Amino acid sequence: AFNLKTTAVKVANGYVINGSKIYATNAPVCDLLICYAKTAAKLGCLGITAFAISKDTPGVTLGTDFKKIGLRTSPMGAVYFENCLVSEKYRIGNEGNGARMFEISMNWERIFLFAFYVGMMDRQFQICLAYASTDHVD
């Protein structure tokens, strides 16, 4: 997750962002994007910064919805940034705090996905139990 190629170069009136995110959750239907970009590549994960970017910002292109076999209510698509100028006021937190923000948000996502999968497994178990409890001829 931290080997991203998207960059944000500081300029006088903000940052110029270039790069892409291929598997971006809700990208095809979003109004606002959270973008993680390298602002100091030499610092590794400490050189990643987060930005809030409107989908209508010049230089932002949203891809089409990827077809998936599961979690279809959460569309996924690509996002492309080409010389996308973002004001400094849309930086989330300080430079270099992006990796930590991402880690915290992923911990929350893992908890919710775990709950979803436990519920899904319980439903499958109940279906199997109901089938095994009936008289059936194959």
Side-chain angles (χ1 to χ4, degrees):
F2 298 132
N3 192 26
L4 53 102
K5 305 291 187 243
T6 301
T7 60
V9 176
K10 183 89 167 102
V11 295
N13 50 348
Y15 294 84
V16 175
I17 300 178
N18 283 291
S20 62
K21 171 71 171 133
I22 302 304
Y23 296 102
T25 303
N26 293 325
V29 296
C30 75
D31 292 321
L32 185 69
L33 302 151
I34 302 299
C35 170
Y36 297 92
K38 289 183 180 180
T39 49
K42 293 179 183 178
L43 297 178
C45 68
L46 297 176
I48 297 173
T49 303
F51 299 89
I53 305 172
S54 170
K55 72 173 183 177
D56 300 322
T57 303
V60 174
T61 304
L62 301 179
T64 59
D65 188 4
F66 294 156
K67 301 300 176 212
K68 302 187 303 182
I69 61 171
L71 295 173
R72 291 186 303 260
T73 58
S74 177
M76 187 174 288
V79 180
Y80 304 96
F81 301 97
E82 186 175 345
N83 297 319
C84 177
L85 179 61
V86 177
S87 171
E88 188 169 346
K89 69 181 180 179
Y90 294 112
R91 184 184 71 207
I92 303 172
N94 295 322
E95 275 195 24
N97 286 348
R100 181 69 180 132
M101 287 182 229
F102 179 79
E103 183 182 345
I104 291 167
S105 69
M106 289 308 296
N107 286 340
W108 275 97
E109 185 171 335
R110 288 182 190 109
I111 291 167
F112 291 122
L113 284 175
F114 180 76
F116 170 77
Y117 293 138
V118 168
M120 220 169 53
M121 288 187 300
D122 182 59
R123 176 71 176 137
Q124 293 299 317
F125 174 73
Q126 295 302 326
I127 291 169
C128 291
L129 184 62
Y131 179 77
S133 299
T134 62
D135 291 332
H136 55 275
V137 178
D138 288 289

